[in-house]
Amino acid sequence: MRRLELMGPPGVGKTALLGPLQAEWKRRGIEAASPRSLPLWTYQERQGAGVFRRRFEAVLYARKGLQRWMRPKLEKEMVRHEFRSLREAGSPWPEFLRLALVRGGESEGGEALALERMQSFMGSVALARATERLPGNTWIPFDEGLAQRAISLGQGASPEQVRAYLGSMPAPDALVLVVAPPDLVNARLRQRNPDVTRFHEMVEQALGITEIAASICGDRDIPLVHLDASVPPDKAARFLADSLERNEG
């Protein structure tokens, strides 16, 4: 499987891009799936499920009511299984997890917020590891992947800490740096939550971390796509799909 990570400030439009991108990939005949499918696929892998069973369970899992019941259980099993496999994982996983563990325990919001962030981070790690392990060429796009966690875990961190995190992060198959003018991002965030007044500081810090990611990941030869999120999502999705095809060529 191939991991596509989207990175950018909150409110820039990463999630809004996913639907149009999946539609564009489908139009081009490119295999793609949502990260929501990974807990089911890792479960089927552990069970040694055959083709018929995989298709039958996929139909059940696609039903919203059944997915709400099945997904939490399968996600917990996936996290346990993937972290068990990480005990024997080679570089860069040990170095990356060590840095993330240290940084994740720090938070200006207190211990409860630090633990909440780490719980969410563990889910991102398990999904990334599953994508790395599972065979095939299917693209799995993440709007809250390991690269995006550099923004949440990097709040209040020094540039050196952010660089160390990004330098040891297991490399995605491509990294999309989603940017837009700060005023536009702030306006979108205010529409989402009018009561919050610290958007400007948060957006500026996130854009700074995104610039660091461009430098670090570029030096690591990770394929980069710079995406202007001020354009309509359909147009942005076509540009992204074109860019990924050029990178492969």
Side-chain angles (χ1 to χ4, degrees):
M1 301 259 173
R2 295 190 286 180
R3 191 170 100 245
L4 177 71
E5 298 230 2
L6 277 61
M7 182 180 185
V12 76
K14 298 183 299 296
T15 304
L17 180 64
L18 295 182
L21 178 60
Q22 292 278 11
E24 182 66 23
W25 272 333
K26 183 177 181 180
R27 187 182 70 80
R28 299 181 185 212
I30 296 173
E31 292 186 15
S34 166
R36 290 192 297 268
S37 299
L38 289 170
L40 175 63
W41 290 347
T42 57
Y43 166 76
Q44 292 172 333
E45 177 201 39
R46 294 193 302 275
Q47 297 294 316
V51 175
F52 176 78
R53 177 179 168 181
R54 286 174 180 266
R55 290 177 178 172
F56 178 71
E57 290 176 340
V59 171
L60 295 179
Y61 193 72
R63 297 179 178 272
K64 291 184 179 179
L66 287 174
Q67 187 177 130
R68 283 196 296 268
W69 171 70
M70 295 171 65
R71 188 177 170 191
K73 177 178 182 295
L74 295 181
E75 283 181 340
K76 290 180 181 178
E77 292 180 1
M78 178 190 68
V79 170
R80 286 197 298 268
H81 177 76
E82 297 305 329
F83 271 85
R84 194 174 296 118
S85 76
L86 283 170
R87 297 174 187 173
E88 306 298 329
S91 183
W93 281 105
E95 299 85 353
F96 172 70
L97 293 175
R98 190 176 303 114
L99 284 169
L101 183 63
V102 173
R103 181 58 206 158
E106 304 173 12
S107 174
E108 295 178 357
E111 290 79 3
L113 179 58
L115 289 172
E116 182 182 346
R117 284 180 177 171
M118 285 306 297
Q119 183 181 32
S120 179
F121 175 75
M122 287 177 66
S124 296
V125 168
L127 288 167
R129 176 65 174 173
T131 307
E132 179 182 270
R133 287 193 315 97
L134 292 173
N137 291 318
T138 301
W139 279 107
I140 310 291
F142 291 87
D143 61 337
E144 290 291 342
L146 298 184
Q148 184 64 19
R149 294 298 175 191
I151 290 179
S152 58
L153 295 177
Q155 293 177 13
S158 67
E160 290 73 21
Q161 288 174 309
V162 173
R163 288 178 179 276
Y165 175 95
L166 292 167
S168 64
M169 176 183 72
D173 292 276
L175 176 62
V176 183
L177 303 172
V178 187
V179 296
D183 290 344
L184 176 60
V185 179
N186 283 314
R188 289 174 177 173
L189 287 171
R190 282 193 296 271
Q191 286 181 344
R192 184 187 302 175
N193 192 341
D195 297 329
V196 178
T197 59
R198 295 182 57 199
F199 286 140
H200 180 75
E201 178 184 347
M202 180 174 60
V203 169
E204 290 294 335
Q205 185 178 36
L207 288 171
I209 293 175
T210 302
E211 290 179 2
I212 294 175
S215 173
I216 295 294
C217 295
D219 290 343
R220 295 181 60 191
D221 293 326
I222 296 173
L224 298 178
V225 178
H226 292 79
L227 188 64
D228 181 3
S230 62
V231 304
D234 289 348
K235 183 176 180 180
R238 288 194 297 272
F239 173 82
L240 176 52
D242 288 340
S243 299
L244 292 173
E245 287 185 357
R246 285 195 298 270
N247 284 337
E248 289 187 334

